[in-house]
Amino acid sequence: MFNSQTQTGAEYIAKMIELGVRNFRVEFLDEPPETVERTIAKYRQLLRGEIDGTQLWRELKLFNQLGVTRGQMGK
């Protein structure tokens, strides 16, 4: 969460895996069980290469940002 927006770095997962990252974390605050199950299922699909990061954040309606900033300040 950042500014009350759920965010994801899903678009960067393929590159992270390529660089050797093997452990990822998904955090939940007060989501209902069905949301948690759907989210975890989508991330499993992502990690298996069945969907890409863009598809994940669009389907889950997430804010596609890794870290606190993106754009001019992130360069």
Side-chain angles (χ1 to χ4, degrees):
M1 297 287 297
F2 182 73
N3 280 343
S4 300
Q5 297 258 350
T6 303
Q7 60 181 343
T8 183
E11 288 180 302
Y12 306 99
I13 294 292
K15 184 65 174 176
M16 289 180 193
I17 290 171
E18 180 184 315
L19 293 171
V21 177
R22 295 292 179 261
N23 296 295
F24 299 93
R25 181 175 74 196
V26 179
E27 294 182 3
F28 299 95
L29 188 57
D30 293 318
E31 289 77 10
E34 50 279 350
T35 299
V36 172
E37 290 172 6
R38 180 171 182 257
T39 301
I40 291 172
K42 288 292 173 191
Y43 275 96
R44 284 183 175 151
Q45 285 183 296
L46 175 69
L47 293 170
R48 288 192 300 257
E50 297 169 1
I51 62 174
D52 65 21
T54 301
Q55 187 176 350
L56 179 136
W57 69 257
R58 285 184 178 157
E59 288 184 19
L60 295 179
K61 297 175 179 53
L62 302 173
F63 187 54
N64 65 324
Q65 178 175 327
L66 180 64
V68 177
T69 185
R70 184 176 193 165
Q72 292 297 329
M73 295 183 72
K75 291 183 179 181

